Amino acid sequence: DLQMTQSPSSLSASVGDTVTITCRASQTIYTYLNWYQQKPGKAPTLLIYFTSTLQSGVPSRFSGGGSDMDFTLTINNLQPEDFASYYCQQSYDTPFTFGPGTKVDIK
Amino acid sequence: EVELVESGGGLVQPGGSLRLSCAASGFTFSEYSFNWVRQAPGKGLEWVSYISSSLRTIYYADSVRGRFTISRDNADNSLYLQMNNLRDEDTGLYYCARDAVDTSGYHSLDNWGPGTLVTVSS
């Protein structure tokens, strides 16, 4: 099965910062990569699909990039509502594995 | 507005069974594929199962294959997960998630329910 890793597992940042989260697949997944945001006590929401396409309603300060095995999620000008956990997910092959998550909290 | 609401969770002993349901509204249910995703307490997300809109394609995670069965009733706008021979490690919050699979076969989970909690314990 495809394995997904993320780094860092957690980070502390301040409002206004730019943060980058990395996701790596155990084999090429081309651009079959989604990103989800999950706030405490809430269901995940889709942020980005197909590596870099923002889901409707997602602010433009979020961006995604990468291909093959290495991907990034970047949040520019971090806002208070962005403090959450972020998960990548590959949709190239079943099982549609998620990364272990990255928790972004307030410095 | 798209709405997904799971139900059917609860406390069950190891080896027991539960049937989860997901009621959908606000869109044409029969046109979409669905997934079940679970999250153990304090842990990350684990994909569990997928069913296509036509019911022709079904997938399972290795951890549940042979014990869980996904199904749907397009006439009732409902998704189900029959869980048998439950284990301690099946404990978690179970989400149903709509799959915005496109014509090229690209999958993304674009709407999620709030989840239903399953606790397997003696």
Side-chain angles (χ1 to χ4, degrees):
Chain A
D1 293 351
L2 274 159
Q3 306 298 318
M4 306 299 292
T5 58
Q6 284 182 237
S7 62
S9 56
S10 65
L11 65 91
S12 295
S14 302
V15 172
D17 284 353
T18 294
V19 301
T20 297
I21 298 167
T22 297
C23 175
R24 181 154 231 247
S26 58
Q27 62 190 72
T28 184
I29 58 171
Y30 302 95
T31 52
Y32 285 68
L33 195 281
N34 304 316
W35 289 98
Y36 300 87
Q37 178 191 65
Q38 186 179 33
K39 297 181 180 179
K42 299 294 187 182
T45 59
L46 178 63
L47 279 180
I48 290 173
Y49 59 96
F50 211 50
T51 296
S52 59
T53 303
L54 263 59
Q55 174 69 345
S56 176
V58 173
S60 59
R61 62 181 179 271
F62 290 90
S63 63
S67 65
D68 294 330
M69 296 172 61
D70 294 300
F71 302 87
T72 57
L73 171 68
T74 299
I75 313 172
N76 291 305
N77 186 23
L78 200 66
Q79 294 298 296
E81 59 268 30
D82 302 335
F83 292 96
S85 293
Y86 294 86
Y87 295 90
C88 61
Q89 181 209 24
Q90 65 82 16
S91 62
Y92 177 69
D93 193 13
T94 57
F96 296 137
T97 38
F98 289 89
T102 296
K103 184 177 181 181
V104 178
D105 61 24
I106 301 172
K107 185 184 288 185
Chain B
E1 181 190 356
V2 173
E3 188 172 24
L4 299 170
V5 180
E6 304 90 341
S7 61
L11 175 63
V12 62
Q13 291 187 336
S17 297
L18 277 177
R19 188 193 196 209
L20 306 185
S21 300
C22 175
S25 60
F27 62 100
T28 305
F29 181 81
S30 59
E31 294 180 354
Y32 285 86
S33 302
F34 288 88
N35 298 262
W36 286 99
V37 176
R38 67 185 180 184
Q39 187 168 34
K43 302 297 184 183
L45 301 171
E46 181 188 10
W47 175 83
V48 172
S49 186
Y50 165 89
I51 186 168
S52 65
S53 57
S54 65
L55 287 82
R56 278 198 285 265
T57 302
I58 287 175
Y59 302 121
Y60 296 100
D62 288 346
S63 57
V64 307
R65 187 177 292 111
R67 300 186 299 122
F68 290 12
T69 302
I70 191 171
S71 63
R72 61 189 293 165
D73 183 343
N74 285 346
D76 202 29
N77 293 345
S78 293
L79 175 73
Y80 303 102
L81 187 68
Q82 177 66 43
M83 305 187 298
N84 297 332
N85 192 20
L86 283 159
R87 305 167 179 167
D88 290 351
E89 56 265 33
D90 295 318
T91 292
L93 192 58
Y94 283 70
Y95 296 103
C96 72
R98 193 179 77 168
D99 196 321
V101 56
D102 65 14
T103 52
S104 69
Y106 189 88
H107 299 267
S108 60
L109 280 55
D110 70 347
N111 280 273
W112 298 59
T116 187
L117 183 62
V118 172
T119 303
V120 184
S121 176
S122 54

